[in-house]
Amino acid sequence: MHEAPPTPSGAPTTPAEPLQHGLKQRHLTMLGLGGVIGAGLFVGSGAGIAVAGPAIVVSYLIAGTLAMLVMRMLGEMSAAMPASGSFSVHAERALGRWAGFSVGWLYWFLLVVVLAVEATAAAHIAHGWVPAVEPWAWVLLFMVVFTAANLTAVKNFGEFEFWFASLKVGAIVVFLGLGLLAVLGWLPDTDPVGMTNLTGQGGFLPNGWGGVVSGVLTVVFAFGGLEVVTIAAAETDDPARAVGRAVRSAVVRILFFYVGSMLVIVTVLPWTAQQAGLSPYVKVLDSIGVPSAAQIMNIVVFVALLSALNANLYGSSRMVFSLAERGEAPRGLLKVSGGSRGKAGGVPRRAVLASVAFGFVSVLLNLLWPDTVFLYMLNSVGAVLLFVWALIAASQLRLRARLEREAPGALALRMWWFPYLTWLTLAGLFGVLVLMLTDDAARPQVLWSAGATALVLLVAVGRQWRERGNPTSAGR
Protein backbone atom coordinates (compact mmCIF):
# COMPACT_ATOMS: atom_id res chain seq x y z
CA MET A 1 0.00 0.00 0.00
CA HIS A 2 1.03 3.56 -0.59
CA GLU A 3 2.33 5.19 2.58
CA ALA A 4 0.97 8.71 2.59
CA PRO A 5 3.04 11.26 4.51
CA PRO A 6 1.52 12.03 7.88
CA THR A 7 -0.46 15.21 8.16
CA PRO A 8 -0.03 17.39 11.23
CA SER A 9 -1.90 16.25 14.28
CA GLY A 10 -0.87 17.78 17.56
CA ALA A 11 2.87 18.13 17.32
CA PRO A 12 3.59 16.96 13.76
CA THR A 13 6.08 14.14 13.49
CA THR A 14 7.91 13.32 10.29
CA PRO A 15 9.40 9.84 9.92
CA ALA A 16 13.15 9.80 10.41
CA GLU A 17 14.92 10.06 7.08
CA PRO A 18 17.11 7.05 6.21
CA LEU A 19 19.52 9.46 4.55
CA GLN A 20 22.80 10.67 5.99
CA HIS A 21 22.67 13.79 8.15
CA GLY A 22 26.01 15.08 6.93
CA LEU A 23 25.17 18.63 5.87
CA LYS A 24 26.10 21.48 8.21
CA GLN A 25 24.47 24.86 8.60
CA ARG A 26 27.27 26.54 6.62
CA HIS A 27 26.63 24.14 3.73
CA LEU A 28 22.93 24.93 3.70
CA THR A 29 23.39 28.68 4.06
CA MET A 30 25.89 28.84 1.20
CA LEU A 31 23.72 26.54 -0.91
CA GLY A 32 20.89 29.01 -0.43
CA LEU A 33 23.12 31.90 -1.42
CA GLY A 34 24.85 30.24 -4.35
CA GLY A 35 22.11 27.96 -5.62
CA VAL A 36 20.61 30.56 -7.94
CA ILE A 37 23.75 32.55 -8.75
CA GLY A 38 24.61 30.98 -12.08
CA ALA A 39 25.08 31.57 -15.77
CA GLY A 40 21.58 33.04 -15.94
CA LEU A 41 22.86 36.00 -13.93
CA PHE A 42 26.40 36.29 -15.27
CA VAL A 43 25.49 35.90 -18.96
CA GLY A 44 21.71 35.77 -19.41
CA SER A 45 21.15 39.13 -17.72
CA GLY A 46 22.42 40.81 -20.88
CA ALA A 47 19.23 39.81 -22.71
CA GLY A 48 17.13 41.37 -19.96
CA ILE A 49 19.04 44.65 -20.13
CA ALA A 50 18.60 44.70 -23.91
CA VAL A 51 14.79 44.67 -23.62
CA ALA A 52 14.25 46.70 -20.43
CA GLY A 53 17.17 49.13 -20.32
CA PRO A 54 18.01 50.53 -16.87
CA ALA A 55 14.56 49.39 -15.74
CA ILE A 56 15.93 45.85 -15.65
CA VAL A 57 16.54 46.71 -12.00
CA VAL A 58 12.75 46.83 -11.55
CA SER A 59 12.34 43.58 -13.51
CA TYR A 60 14.79 41.81 -11.20
CA LEU A 61 13.10 43.34 -8.17
CA ILE A 62 9.69 42.01 -9.28
CA ALA A 63 10.99 38.55 -10.22
CA GLY A 64 13.14 38.35 -7.09
CA THR A 65 10.23 39.33 -4.85
CA LEU A 66 8.11 36.61 -6.44
CA ALA A 67 10.85 34.04 -5.82
CA MET A 68 11.36 35.33 -2.27
CA LEU A 69 7.67 34.90 -1.44
CA VAL A 70 7.64 31.36 -2.83
CA MET A 71 10.73 30.52 -0.79
CA ARG A 72 9.16 31.93 2.36
CA MET A 73 6.13 29.67 1.86
CA LEU A 74 8.34 26.69 1.16
CA GLY A 75 10.49 27.50 4.17
CA GLU A 76 7.41 27.64 6.40
CA MET A 77 6.28 24.17 5.34
CA SER A 78 9.77 22.67 5.39
CA ALA A 79 10.56 24.02 8.86
CA ALA A 80 7.31 22.54 10.20
CA MET A 81 7.54 19.24 8.29
CA PRO A 82 11.03 18.65 6.85
CA ALA A 83 11.31 15.88 4.26
CA SER A 84 13.75 14.97 1.50
CA GLY A 85 10.93 15.34 -1.03
CA SER A 86 10.20 18.88 0.19
CA PHE A 87 7.40 20.47 -1.84
CA SER A 88 6.41 17.14 -3.42
CA VAL A 89 5.65 15.78 0.07
CA HIS A 90 3.89 19.01 1.03
CA ALA A 91 1.75 18.93 -2.11
CA GLU A 92 0.68 15.37 -1.32
CA ARG A 93 -0.20 16.27 2.25
CA ALA A 94 -2.15 19.33 1.19
CA LEU A 95 -3.77 18.43 -2.13
CA GLY A 96 -3.56 14.67 -2.55
CA ARG A 97 -1.40 12.01 -4.18
CA TRP A 98 -1.93 13.36 -7.68
CA ALA A 99 -0.26 16.63 -6.68
CA GLY A 100 2.74 15.02 -4.95
CA PHE A 101 3.28 12.61 -7.84
CA SER A 102 2.95 15.32 -10.49
CA VAL A 103 5.12 18.02 -8.96
CA GLY A 104 7.79 15.48 -7.94
CA TRP A 105 8.20 13.93 -11.39
CA LEU A 106 7.96 17.28 -13.19
CA TYR A 107 10.68 18.76 -11.01
CA TRP A 108 12.88 15.68 -11.49
CA PHE A 109 12.46 15.94 -15.26
CA LEU A 110 13.25 19.66 -15.13
CA LEU A 111 16.50 19.08 -13.24
CA VAL A 112 17.85 16.27 -15.42
CA VAL A 113 17.11 18.20 -18.63
CA VAL A 114 18.69 21.43 -17.38
CA LEU A 115 21.63 19.36 -16.17
CA ALA A 116 22.42 18.64 -19.83
CA VAL A 117 22.50 22.34 -20.69
CA GLU A 118 24.89 23.05 -17.84
CA ALA A 119 27.22 20.15 -18.63
CA THR A 120 27.36 21.09 -22.32
CA ALA A 121 27.96 24.80 -21.64
CA ALA A 122 30.74 24.03 -19.13
CA ALA A 123 32.31 21.63 -21.64
CA HIS A 124 32.43 24.32 -24.34
CA ILE A 125 34.23 26.71 -21.94
CA ALA A 126 36.73 24.01 -20.99
CA HIS A 127 37.23 23.12 -24.68
CA GLY A 128 38.18 26.75 -25.31
CA TRP A 129 40.91 26.44 -22.68
CA VAL A 130 42.11 22.99 -23.81
CA PRO A 131 41.14 22.58 -27.50
CA ALA A 132 42.82 19.18 -27.71
CA VAL A 133 40.08 17.70 -25.50
CA GLU A 134 36.72 17.41 -27.28
CA PRO A 135 33.57 18.78 -25.57
CA TRP A 136 32.05 15.29 -25.23
CA ALA A 137 35.11 14.20 -23.23
CA TRP A 138 34.71 17.15 -20.88
CA VAL A 139 31.03 16.30 -20.40
CA LEU A 140 31.97 12.73 -19.55
CA LEU A 141 34.57 13.93 -17.06
CA PHE A 142 32.15 16.32 -15.33
CA MET A 143 29.42 13.72 -15.07
CA VAL A 144 31.78 11.08 -13.68
CA VAL A 145 33.29 13.45 -11.11
CA PHE A 146 29.97 14.73 -9.79
CA THR A 147 28.35 11.32 -9.87
CA ALA A 148 31.22 10.06 -7.71
CA ALA A 149 30.81 13.02 -5.34
CA ASN A 150 27.08 12.34 -4.99
CA LEU A 151 27.59 8.60 -4.49
CA THR A 152 29.80 9.15 -1.46
CA ALA A 153 28.94 10.89 1.80
CA VAL A 154 26.55 13.81 1.44
CA LYS A 155 29.10 16.05 3.12
CA ASN A 156 31.15 15.81 -0.10
CA PHE A 157 28.26 17.37 -2.00
CA GLY A 158 28.01 20.00 0.72
CA GLU A 159 31.72 20.84 0.52
CA PHE A 160 31.65 21.10 -3.28
CA GLU A 161 28.70 23.47 -3.13
CA PHE A 162 30.13 25.46 -0.23
CA TRP A 163 33.33 26.32 -2.10
CA PHE A 164 31.61 26.77 -5.46
CA ALA A 165 29.08 29.13 -3.92
CA SER A 166 31.79 30.93 -1.96
CA LEU A 167 33.64 31.71 -5.19
CA LYS A 168 30.47 32.98 -6.89
CA VAL A 169 29.43 35.09 -3.93
CA GLY A 170 32.96 36.42 -3.58
CA ALA A 171 33.06 37.34 -7.28
CA ILE A 172 29.84 39.33 -6.98
CA VAL A 173 30.99 41.11 -3.81
CA VAL A 174 34.22 42.17 -5.58
CA PHE A 175 32.22 43.23 -8.64
CA LEU A 176 29.85 45.33 -6.53
CA GLY A 177 32.79 46.95 -4.76
CA LEU A 178 34.61 47.81 -8.00
CA GLY A 179 31.38 49.03 -9.57
CA LEU A 180 30.65 51.36 -6.65
CA LEU A 181 34.18 52.78 -6.82
CA ALA A 182 33.74 53.34 -10.56
CA VAL A 183 30.41 55.12 -10.05
CA LEU A 184 32.02 57.40 -7.48
CA GLY A 185 35.07 57.97 -9.68
CA TRP A 186 37.47 56.61 -7.05
CA LEU A 187 39.29 54.25 -9.41
CA PRO A 188 42.43 55.36 -11.29
CA ASP A 189 41.69 57.26 -14.50
CA THR A 190 37.93 57.34 -13.87
CA ASP A 191 35.46 60.17 -13.40
CA PRO A 192 32.26 60.00 -11.35
CA VAL A 193 29.47 58.51 -13.48
CA GLY A 194 26.52 59.96 -11.63
CA MET A 195 23.05 59.26 -12.93
CA THR A 196 23.89 59.88 -16.61
CA ASN A 197 23.47 56.28 -17.77
CA LEU A 198 20.25 55.81 -15.78
CA THR A 199 18.53 58.81 -17.34
CA GLY A 200 20.14 59.01 -20.78
CA GLN A 201 19.58 56.91 -23.92
CA GLY A 202 15.81 57.09 -23.64
CA GLY A 203 15.56 57.50 -19.88
CA PHE A 204 15.11 54.94 -17.12
CA LEU A 205 12.20 53.34 -19.02
CA PRO A 206 13.39 53.46 -22.65
CA ASN A 207 10.91 50.77 -23.71
CA GLY A 208 8.19 51.71 -21.24
CA TRP A 209 6.60 49.35 -18.77
CA GLY A 210 6.29 46.81 -21.56
CA GLY A 211 10.08 46.54 -21.43
CA VAL A 212 9.93 45.90 -17.69
CA VAL A 213 7.41 43.11 -18.27
CA SER A 214 9.59 41.59 -21.00
CA GLY A 215 12.51 41.82 -18.60
CA VAL A 216 10.58 39.88 -15.95
CA LEU A 217 9.89 37.11 -18.47
CA THR A 218 13.58 37.02 -19.32
CA VAL A 219 14.96 36.90 -15.77
CA VAL A 220 12.36 35.13 -13.60
CA PHE A 221 13.72 31.67 -14.35
CA ALA A 222 17.18 32.71 -13.16
CA PHE A 223 15.81 32.37 -9.61
CA GLY A 224 15.10 28.66 -10.05
CA GLY A 225 17.30 26.53 -7.81
CA LEU A 226 16.45 27.96 -4.41
CA GLU A 227 14.16 24.96 -3.86
CA VAL A 228 17.14 22.63 -3.38
CA VAL A 229 17.79 24.27 0.00
CA THR A 230 14.63 22.76 1.48
CA ILE A 231 15.43 19.37 -0.07
CA ALA A 232 18.91 19.44 1.45
CA ALA A 233 17.61 20.51 4.87
CA ALA A 234 16.35 16.97 5.51
CA GLU A 235 19.97 15.80 5.63
CA THR A 236 21.02 18.10 8.46
CA ASP A 237 21.01 17.28 12.18
CA ASP A 238 18.25 19.82 12.89
CA PRO A 239 16.21 20.20 9.66
CA ALA A 240 13.56 22.56 11.00
CA ARG A 241 16.05 25.03 12.42
CA ALA A 242 18.48 24.70 9.51
CA VAL A 243 15.93 25.45 6.79
CA GLY A 244 14.58 28.43 8.71
CA ARG A 245 18.03 29.98 8.98
CA ALA A 246 18.91 29.22 5.36
CA VAL A 247 15.71 30.73 3.97
CA ARG A 248 15.95 33.85 6.12
CA SER A 249 19.55 34.54 5.13
CA ALA A 250 19.29 33.57 1.47
CA VAL A 251 16.29 35.42 0.09
CA VAL A 252 17.28 38.94 1.13
CA ARG A 253 20.93 38.50 0.21
CA ILE A 254 20.07 37.05 -3.18
CA LEU A 255 17.84 40.03 -3.90
CA PHE A 256 20.78 42.24 -2.88
CA PHE A 257 23.21 40.42 -5.17
CA TYR A 258 20.87 40.36 -8.18
CA VAL A 259 19.36 43.82 -7.92
CA GLY A 260 22.63 45.34 -6.73
CA SER A 261 24.53 43.84 -9.66
CA MET A 262 22.03 45.13 -12.19
CA LEU A 263 22.07 48.60 -10.63
CA VAL A 264 25.87 48.73 -10.90
CA ILE A 265 25.84 47.49 -14.51
CA VAL A 266 23.29 50.00 -15.84
CA THR A 267 24.87 52.84 -13.84
CA VAL A 268 28.47 52.27 -14.97
CA LEU A 269 27.65 51.72 -18.67
CA PRO A 270 24.84 52.84 -21.00
CA TRP A 271 22.29 50.08 -21.38
CA THR A 272 22.72 50.31 -25.17
CA ALA A 273 26.27 48.99 -24.75
CA GLN A 274 24.94 45.58 -23.64
CA GLN A 275 24.26 42.70 -26.02
CA ALA A 276 22.24 39.53 -25.57
CA GLY A 277 24.52 36.52 -25.22
CA LEU A 278 27.47 38.56 -23.95
CA SER A 279 28.16 38.94 -20.24
CA PRO A 280 27.40 42.47 -19.02
CA TYR A 281 29.84 41.79 -16.18
CA VAL A 282 32.68 41.46 -18.69
CA LYS A 283 31.65 44.73 -20.34
CA VAL A 284 31.73 46.57 -17.02
CA LEU A 285 35.04 45.07 -15.89
CA ASP A 286 36.60 45.88 -19.26
CA SER A 287 35.36 49.47 -19.06
CA ILE A 288 36.98 50.08 -15.67
CA GLY A 289 40.28 48.56 -16.76
CA VAL A 290 40.28 45.15 -15.06
CA PRO A 291 42.86 43.07 -16.97
CA SER A 292 41.72 39.76 -18.50
CA ALA A 293 38.11 40.47 -17.47
CA ALA A 294 36.71 38.04 -20.03
CA GLN A 295 38.85 35.16 -18.78
CA ILE A 296 38.06 35.95 -15.16
CA MET A 297 34.33 35.84 -15.87
CA ASN A 298 34.79 32.67 -17.93
CA ILE A 299 36.22 31.02 -14.83
CA VAL A 300 33.35 32.30 -12.66
CA VAL A 301 30.72 31.15 -15.17
CA PHE A 302 32.47 27.78 -15.47
CA VAL A 303 32.32 27.31 -11.69
CA ALA A 304 28.68 28.47 -11.66
CA LEU A 305 27.75 25.85 -14.27
CA LEU A 306 29.51 23.05 -12.41
CA SER A 307 27.88 24.18 -9.17
CA ALA A 308 24.44 24.06 -10.77
CA LEU A 309 25.19 20.64 -12.30
CA ASN A 310 26.19 19.30 -8.89
CA ALA A 311 23.14 20.78 -7.15
CA ASN A 312 20.73 19.53 -9.82
CA LEU A 313 22.10 16.01 -9.63
CA TYR A 314 21.71 16.09 -5.86
CA GLY A 315 18.20 17.55 -5.98
CA SER A 316 16.96 15.15 -8.65
CA SER A 317 18.28 12.08 -6.79
CA ARG A 318 16.60 13.13 -3.53
CA MET A 319 13.34 13.93 -5.27
CA VAL A 320 13.11 10.55 -6.99
CA PHE A 321 14.14 8.83 -3.74
CA SER A 322 11.28 10.58 -1.95
CA LEU A 323 8.89 9.50 -4.70
CA ALA A 324 10.03 5.92 -4.21
CA GLU A 325 9.49 6.23 -0.44
CA ARG A 326 5.85 7.10 -1.12
CA GLY A 327 5.31 4.38 -3.71
CA GLU A 328 5.37 6.78 -6.65
CA ALA A 329 8.65 5.47 -8.14
CA PRO A 330 10.20 1.98 -8.38
CA ARG A 331 10.97 0.37 -5.03
CA GLY A 332 14.51 -0.44 -6.13
CA LEU A 333 15.42 3.23 -5.78
CA LEU A 334 14.95 2.99 -1.99
CA LYS A 335 18.28 1.21 -1.54
CA VAL A 336 20.73 3.36 0.43
CA SER A 337 24.41 2.78 1.11
CA GLY A 338 25.61 1.63 4.48
CA GLY A 339 22.93 -0.96 5.09
CA SER A 340 19.20 -1.32 4.87
CA ARG A 341 16.79 1.51 4.21
CA GLY A 342 15.96 1.71 7.90
CA LYS A 343 19.56 2.36 8.89
CA ALA A 344 20.46 6.02 9.15
CA GLY A 345 23.54 7.40 7.47
CA GLY A 346 22.98 6.17 3.93
CA VAL A 347 23.25 7.74 0.47
CA PRO A 348 20.55 6.85 -2.11
CA ARG A 349 23.02 5.54 -4.68
CA ARG A 350 20.46 3.96 -6.98
CA ALA A 351 18.49 7.20 -7.06
CA VAL A 352 21.71 9.06 -7.92
CA LEU A 353 22.52 6.59 -10.71
CA ALA A 354 18.97 6.74 -12.09
CA SER A 355 19.13 10.54 -12.23
CA VAL A 356 22.58 10.69 -13.79
CA ALA A 357 21.62 8.00 -16.32
CA PHE A 358 18.82 10.18 -17.66
CA GLY A 359 21.20 13.12 -17.42
CA PHE A 360 23.61 11.30 -19.74
CA VAL A 361 20.76 10.67 -22.18
CA SER A 362 19.85 14.36 -22.07
CA VAL A 363 23.47 15.38 -22.71
CA LEU A 364 23.66 12.98 -25.67
CA LEU A 365 20.47 14.44 -27.15
CA ASN A 366 21.85 17.94 -26.62
CA LEU A 367 25.08 17.05 -28.43
CA LEU A 368 23.41 15.19 -31.32
CA TRP A 369 20.15 17.07 -31.90
CA PRO A 370 20.31 20.42 -30.06
CA ASP A 371 17.84 22.11 -32.43
CA THR A 372 15.27 19.32 -32.67
CA VAL A 373 14.82 16.56 -30.09
CA PHE A 374 16.57 18.32 -27.21
CA LEU A 375 14.94 21.65 -28.02
CA TYR A 376 11.52 19.99 -27.62
CA MET A 377 12.61 18.55 -24.28
CA LEU A 378 13.94 21.92 -23.15
CA ASN A 379 10.70 23.65 -24.17
CA SER A 380 8.72 20.99 -22.31
CA VAL A 381 10.32 22.10 -19.03
CA GLY A 382 10.57 25.80 -19.90
CA ALA A 383 7.63 26.87 -17.74
CA VAL A 384 7.58 23.91 -15.31
CA LEU A 385 9.25 26.02 -12.62
CA LEU A 386 6.20 28.31 -12.57
CA PHE A 387 3.87 25.31 -12.23
CA VAL A 388 6.01 24.02 -9.35
CA TRP A 389 5.92 27.40 -7.62
CA ALA A 390 2.13 27.60 -8.08
CA LEU A 391 1.69 24.19 -6.41
CA ILE A 392 3.95 25.28 -3.56
CA ALA A 393 1.70 28.31 -2.99
CA ALA A 394 -1.48 26.22 -3.21
CA SER A 395 -0.03 23.68 -0.77
CA GLN A 396 0.93 26.39 1.69
CA LEU A 397 -2.62 27.78 1.64
CA ARG A 398 -3.98 24.40 2.77
CA LEU A 399 -1.21 23.36 5.17
CA ARG A 400 -0.91 26.71 6.96
CA ALA A 401 -4.57 26.57 7.97
CA ARG A 402 -4.15 22.97 9.11
CA LEU A 403 -1.00 23.74 11.10
CA GLU A 404 -2.59 26.73 12.84
CA ARG A 405 -5.48 24.53 13.85
CA GLU A 406 -3.59 21.37 14.86
CA ALA A 407 0.02 22.33 15.64
CA PRO A 408 0.63 26.08 15.84
CA GLY A 409 3.88 25.50 17.72
CA ALA A 410 5.40 23.95 14.59
CA LEU A 411 5.24 27.26 12.71
CA ALA A 412 8.76 28.38 13.52
CA LEU A 413 8.93 30.29 10.22
CA ARG A 414 5.77 32.03 9.03
CA MET A 415 4.72 33.39 5.68
CA TRP A 416 4.18 37.15 5.84
CA TRP A 417 0.61 38.54 5.76
CA PHE A 418 -0.99 35.16 5.23
CA PRO A 419 -3.11 34.48 3.21
CA TYR A 420 -3.04 37.74 1.25
CA LEU A 421 0.55 37.53 0.02
CA THR A 422 0.07 33.86 -0.89
CA TRP A 423 -2.91 34.73 -3.08
CA LEU A 424 -1.00 37.67 -4.55
CA THR A 425 1.89 35.35 -5.40
CA LEU A 426 -0.47 32.92 -7.14
CA ALA A 427 -1.92 35.81 -9.12
CA GLY A 428 1.60 36.94 -10.05
CA LEU A 429 2.57 33.47 -11.28
CA PHE A 430 -0.62 33.24 -13.31
CA GLY A 431 0.12 36.68 -14.75
CA VAL A 432 3.62 35.62 -15.83
CA LEU A 433 2.18 32.57 -17.60
CA VAL A 434 -0.38 34.71 -19.41
CA LEU A 435 2.32 37.16 -20.47
CA MET A 436 4.46 34.28 -21.74
CA LEU A 437 1.54 33.16 -23.91
CA THR A 438 1.46 36.60 -25.53
CA ASP A 439 5.21 36.53 -26.22
CA ASP A 440 6.20 34.81 -29.46
CA ALA A 441 9.50 33.54 -28.07
CA ALA A 442 8.09 32.26 -24.77
CA ARG A 443 4.79 30.82 -26.04
CA PRO A 444 6.25 27.45 -27.18
CA GLN A 445 7.71 26.92 -23.70
CA VAL A 446 4.33 27.42 -22.03
CA LEU A 447 2.50 25.17 -24.50
CA TRP A 448 5.08 22.37 -24.38
CA SER A 449 5.35 22.61 -20.59
CA ALA A 450 1.57 22.55 -20.28
CA GLY A 451 1.53 19.43 -22.45
CA ALA A 452 4.16 17.72 -20.29
CA THR A 453 2.27 18.69 -17.15
CA ALA A 454 -1.02 17.39 -18.56
CA LEU A 455 0.64 14.08 -19.43
CA VAL A 456 2.02 13.64 -15.91
CA LEU A 457 -1.37 14.58 -14.43
CA LEU A 458 -3.08 11.97 -16.60
CA VAL A 459 -0.65 9.32 -15.36
CA ALA A 460 -1.23 10.41 -11.74
CA VAL A 461 -5.01 10.28 -12.06
CA GLY A 462 -4.84 6.96 -13.93
CA ARG A 463 -2.77 5.45 -11.14
CA GLN A 464 -5.30 6.51 -8.54
CA TRP A 465 -8.23 5.10 -10.50
CA ARG A 466 -6.40 1.82 -11.01
CA GLU A 467 -5.56 1.53 -7.33
CA ARG A 468 -9.14 2.26 -6.29
CA GLY A 469 -10.23 -0.64 -8.49
CA ASN A 470 -7.43 -2.91 -7.25
CA PRO A 471 -6.22 -1.81 -3.78
CA THR A 472 -3.54 -4.53 -3.64
CA SER A 473 -1.68 -2.85 -6.52
CA ALA A 474 -1.26 0.45 -4.67
CA GLY A 475 2.29 1.65 -4.15
CA ARG A 476 4.41 -0.65 -2.12
Side-chain angles (χ1 to χ4, degrees):
M1 292 289 288
H2 170 85
E3 293 182 9
T7 53
S9 180
T13 57
T14 303
E17 286 286 351
L19 304 178
Q20 188 178 58
H21 292 178
L23 293 178
K24 301 182 183 300
Q25 183 65 51
R26 66 182 179 89
H27 295 146
L28 209 62
T29 299
M30 198 55 73
L31 178 61
L33 288 173
V36 297
I37 300 174
L41 174 63
F42 292 122
V43 179
S45 53
I49 295 172
V51 298
I56 190 64
V57 175
V58 180
S59 300
Y60 267 100
L61 190 59
I62 293 171
T65 299
L66 199 59
M68 184 172 66
L69 292 174
V70 171
M71 272 306 296
R72 186 75 182 190
M73 293 179 234
L74 187 50
E76 175 186 283
M77 293 184 291
S78 297
M81 297 167 289
S84 60
S86 187
F87 46 87
S88 174
V89 175
H90 304 147
E92 180 168 335
R93 285 170 170 153
L95 306 171
R97 286 188 59 192
W98 66 270
F101 176 92
S102 301
V103 75
W105 278 111
L106 283 170
Y107 193 70
W108 180 84
F109 184 49
L110 166 67
L111 294 185
V112 294
V113 171
V114 172
L115 184 152
V117 179
E118 291 151 352
T120 306
H124 282 298
I125 293 176
H127 177 64
W129 293 332
V130 188
V133 181
E134 293 296 323
W136 68 264
W138 284 113
V139 169
L140 182 62
L141 176 63
F142 300 150
M143 298 290 271
V144 168
V145 168
F146 289 110
T147 299
N150 277 271
L151 287 175
T152 56
V154 71
K155 67 179 180 181
N156 293 336
F157 160 78
E159 285 299 320
F160 266 112
E161 281 305 300
F162 177 82
W163 292 110
F164 279 156
S166 296
L167 190 149
K168 292 186 290 184
V169 170
I172 292 184
V173 169
V174 172
F175 176 81
L176 290 174
L178 289 174
L180 180 61
L181 293 176
V183 170
L184 297 174
W186 291 353
L187 290 177
D189 301 321
T190 60
D191 297 316
V193 176
M195 299 293 106
T196 303
N197 293 324
L198 292 178
T199 56
Q201 294 83 39
F204 187 74
L205 291 164
N207 297 318
W209 286 102
V212 174
V213 170
S214 297
V216 171
L217 299 184
T218 303
V219 306
V220 67
F221 296 102
F223 289 91
L226 273 172
E227 309 85 12
V228 178
V229 175
T230 59
I231 294 174
E235 293 184 70
T236 62
D237 289 330
D238 189 353
R241 189 175 183 183
V243 74
R245 285 183 177 179
V247 169
R248 287 189 188 99
S249 66
V251 289
V252 174
R253 295 183 193 180
I254 284 171
L255 274 179
F256 170 74
F257 288 143
Y258 270 79
V259 177
S261 292
M262 290 306 106
L263 188 57
V264 165
I265 289 169
V266 296
T267 302
V268 172
L269 287 179
W271 71 272
T272 51
Q274 305 297 340
Q275 296 173 265
L278 297 179
S279 173
Y281 289 78
V282 172
K283 287 266 191 180
V284 170
L285 293 176
D286 274 335
S287 74
I288 60 180
V290 176
S292 304
Q295 280 305 316
I296 292 172
M297 285 311 302
N298 255 348
I299 294 171
V300 174
V301 171
F302 179 72
V303 169
L305 288 165
L306 294 185
S307 170
L309 192 161
N310 189 39
N312 284 352
L313 179 55
Y314 171 84
S316 59
S317 66
R318 271 42 177 191
M319 182 59 74
V320 79
F321 177 80
S322 175
L323 288 166
E325 277 191 307
R326 290 172 281 137
E328 309 291 13
R331 286 176 55 88
L333 298 177
L334 288 172
K335 181 71 174 178
V336 298
S337 64
S340 64
R341 175 179 169 270
K343 182 178 179 179
V347 173
R349 290 180 174 174
R350 291 184 181 178
V352 171
L353 292 174
S355 298
V356 81
F358 197 88
F360 269 115
V361 171
S362 298
V363 169
L364 186 62
L365 294 175
N366 192 16
L367 293 173
L368 296 178
W369 301 291
D371 298 322
T372 53
V373 178
F374 186 75
L375 180 61
Y376 295 139
M377 286 179 60
L378 196 58
N379 279 336
S380 69
V381 299
V384 160
L385 181 66
L386 296 179
F387 299 154
V388 169
W389 284 2
L391 272 173
I392 289 172
S395 301
Q396 191 262 345
L397 276 174
R398 295 287 297 274
L399 287 182
R400 171 64 176 268
R402 196 178 303 171
L403 282 165
E404 286 185 334
R405 184 174 62 251
E406 299 176 3
L411 289 168
L413 184 73
R414 292 173 179 260
M415 175 61 182
W416 305 295
W417 294 342
F418 176 82
Y420 308 109
L421 276 184
T422 302
W423 281 112
L424 186 61
T425 303
L426 277 169
L429 293 171
F430 179 74
V432 172
L433 284 170
V434 170
L435 290 170
M436 289 181 71
L437 283 171
T438 64
D439 184 87
D440 291 338
R443 188 181 304 115
Q445 296 181 19
V446 178
L447 297 178
W448 278 93
S449 296
T453 301
L455 180 61
V456 173
L457 284 171
L458 282 174
V459 173
V461 173
R463 282 168 56 88
Q464 284 195 246
W465 282 349
R466 185 188 66 197
E467 290 171 4
R468 285 174 184 172
N470 183 16
T472 60
S473 69
R476 45 188 179 97

